[in-house]
Amino acid sequence: MSTSRSDQDSPWKQILRQYFREAIEFFFPTTAALIDWQKPPEFLDKEYQQIAPDAEVGKRYADQLVKVWQKRGDELWLLLHTEIQAKPEASFTERMFIYNLRIFDYFHHPAISLAILCDGRAKWRPKVYEFSYPDTHLRFEFGVVKLLDYQTRWTELETSRNPFAIVVMAHLKAQETKRNASDRKTVKLSLIRRLYESGYSRSEVVNLFRFIDWVMILPEGLKQTFWAELKVYEEERRMPYITSVEEIGFARGLETGRQQAEQQAEQRQRSLILRQLNRRVGEVPETVRQRVEQLTIDQLEALGEALLDFAQLADLQAWLEAVELGQE
C-alpha cells in the first residue's frame, strides 16, 4: 500500500494550529486550566527558529512555540513538541531540556515543555533529563502523552466531544491498518461517518477529514471505491461536505496537471530547437540562447521551420532581430 507523503507535508502542525486549545485541553488539562482562552494564542514561529534554527521538520517533528496568557494576566509560553515518527533516540530528553533552556536564555522567559509521542513503541517513555554530581543536581521533567495508551481508552475516545479524540482515533487506526488496505478503507469510512453523526460543523468536518485522509492513505483502486461510497453516504444524509470539496480539488488538480504538461512540452520543444540550432550554426552563445528562451510558443514554431535555411550564426541573429522588431 502506498504511503508516500512529502516530508514537508505533515498534517500535525496544521491540525494543532486549528485546534490548539482543544489539543491542550485534551492532552494536558492541568496546563489548560491555567490559561485564559478568551485571549487567542500567539504562534511564535520566528522565535522558535531562533532557538532551533536547525530543527528537523516534516514527518518527524511538528513543534510549536506558543504564547498564551494565564488567567491572572501573565504571559505563559508553551513549547509543544510532537514526535510523529519516533526512532530510538537517547538524546530526546536532552533535546527537550536544551530547547527549554534556550527559550529562557534567549528571551528571559520560562516555558512549559510538552511532548506528544505518536510512535508505536510501548516501552519508550522519555520524560526526564537529569544529571547529578556531589555539588550539583539538575532534574528537568516535562509533560508527556503517549497516543498508544489510548488503545485501552477507546470508549473514552468514542464518547468525547473534543475534536482531538478523532485525531487520536485516526492516528491509531492508521498504525493498526498499515498492512491491510481493505480494513483501512472500512475504518476510514467509519471515522468519517462519526464526524457527521457527532454533530460537528461543516468546517470541522472538512478540517478533521483532511487529517484523517492524510494519515489513512489508500492505494488508488480503493481510493476510488472510498470516494464512491462516501458520496453515496453524503447524498443519503443530504450533506455533501467532503465530496464537494474533493471534486473542487480534483478539478483544480486536473487543471494544474494540464498546465504542467503544457509547460513541460514547451520546454522540450525549446530544448530540441536549441540542439538543432547548435548543429546548424555551431555553438549558440548564452546571450542568444536567452533570446530564444523568451520566444512565445508561436515564435518558437516559426523558428523551427526557419532554422532549416540557416547557414551561420548571423542568420539566427538576423531572424531574432526581425522577430523583435515585429517583422516576422
Side-chain angles (χ1 to χ4, degrees):
M1 179 169 59
S2 172
T3 57
S4 61
R5 292 292 192 196
S6 165
D7 282 346
Q8 304 299 325
D9 288 340
S10 165
W12 277 97
K13 192 165 189 176
Q14 182 177 359
I15 201 73
L16 285 166
R17 280 182 181 259
Q18 289 173 327
Y19 297 105
F20 182 75
R21 174 180 179 175
E22 291 82 356
I24 300 302
E25 289 179 337
F26 188 80
F27 293 125
F28 306 102
T30 304
T31 295
L34 299 175
I35 299 171
D36 179 2
W37 293 107
Q38 297 301 313
K39 298 179 180 179
E42 182 179 343
F43 293 89
L44 306 176
D45 295 335
K46 292 182 179 178
E47 289 82 352
Y48 178 74
Q49 285 301 314
Q50 292 180 55
I51 69 162
D54 56 348
E56 246 183 287
V57 293
K59 283 188 174 181
R60 181 84 187 272
Y61 305 152
D63 290 353
Q64 305 272 7
L65 180 59
V66 188
K67 181 168 68 176
V68 293
W69 282 262
Q70 298 186 62
K71 291 178 178 177
R72 65 171 182 262
D74 297 335
E75 288 183 5
L76 188 66
W77 287 30
L78 307 181
L79 179 60
L80 181 61
H81 176 90
T82 307
E83 185 82 4
I84 298 166
Q85 290 186 344
K87 299 176 182 177
E89 184 182 359
S91 62
F92 178 82
T93 57
E94 178 182 330
R95 177 157 50 86
M96 291 293 290
F97 168 66
I98 288 173
Y99 285 2
N100 190 283
L101 181 61
R102 286 180 180 175
I103 292 171
F104 191 85
D105 183 37
Y106 287 14
F107 310 113
H108 303 287
H109 203 293
I112 295 177
S113 291
L114 307 167
I116 302 172
L117 306 180
C118 305
D119 65 292
R121 293 177 294 131
K123 294 183 179 180
W124 191 65
R125 296 178 180 273
K127 63 178 298 184
V128 175
Y129 176 73
E130 185 174 19
F131 64 79
S132 183
Y133 295 99
D135 295 312
T136 300
H137 177 77
L138 181 141
R139 178 181 173 87
F140 171 69
E141 186 169 351
F142 49 92
V144 178
V145 293
K146 185 91 169 178
L147 297 194
L148 204 61
D149 292 342
Y150 285 92
Q151 287 180 329
T152 59
R153 300 165 60 182
W154 199 257
T155 301
E156 179 183 333
L157 294 176
E158 290 179 326
T159 57
S160 175
R161 283 285 302 151
N162 191 307
F164 257 81
I166 294 287
V167 170
V168 174
M169 293 167 79
H171 176 81
L172 292 177
K173 288 300 183 182
Q175 289 182 326
E176 184 181 314
T177 60
K178 188 178 296 184
R179 293 177 176 82
N180 192 323
S182 180
D183 283 356
R184 174 169 288 193
K185 179 187 74 71
T186 300
V187 172
K188 187 172 181 177
L189 280 169
S190 177
L191 288 173
I192 303 305
R193 287 195 294 268
R194 177 176 293 277
L195 293 180
Y196 282 96
E197 294 162 7
S198 296
Y200 288 114
S201 68
R202 185 184 192 279
S203 62
E204 288 176 323
V205 170
V206 172
N207 289 339
L208 291 168
F209 168 78
R210 285 172 178 158
F211 181 87
I212 295 170
D213 190 47
W214 211 308
V215 298
M216 304 192 76
I217 308 167
L218 294 172
E220 285 302 320
L222 282 178
K223 188 183 296 183
Q224 295 176 12
T225 305
F226 165 80
W227 281 110
E229 293 181 20
L230 178 58
K231 192 174 186 67
V232 169
Y233 173 78
E234 286 192 327
E235 288 173 349
E236 289 174 351
R237 295 187 63 86
R238 299 181 181 179
M239 292 181 175
Y241 290 173
I242 297 171
T243 53
S244 60
V245 173
E246 169 66 11
E247 286 164 3
I248 292 171
F250 182 68
R252 287 176 179 169
L254 287 178
E255 177 62 19
T256 300
R258 183 187 64 79
Q259 293 173 352
Q260 290 176 343
E262 289 177 353
Q263 291 170 356
Q264 290 170 357
E266 182 178 333
Q267 188 57 45
R268 285 195 297 270
Q269 186 175 4
R270 289 185 192 277
S271 298
L272 174 61
I273 288 176
L274 284 168
R275 290 198 301 271
Q276 291 173 332
L277 286 169
N278 285 332
R279 295 183 65 178
R280 295 291 299 182
V281 303
E283 185 68 27
V284 177
E286 181 60 28
T287 55
V288 178
R289 289 177 63 91
Q290 290 176 0
R291 292 165 70 185
V292 173
E293 291 286 355
Q294 293 173 1
L295 296 175
T296 66
I297 188 65
D298 290 338
Q299 292 168 340
L300 203 62
E301 290 177 357
L303 176 57
E305 295 180 3
L307 67 82
L308 297 175
D309 297 324
F310 296 168
Q312 56 189 348
L313 180 60
D315 295 332
L316 169 60
Q317 291 173 317
W319 187 90
L320 289 171
E321 288 172 2
V323 167
E324 290 162 359
L325 291 172
Q327 298 174 359
E328 286 286 343

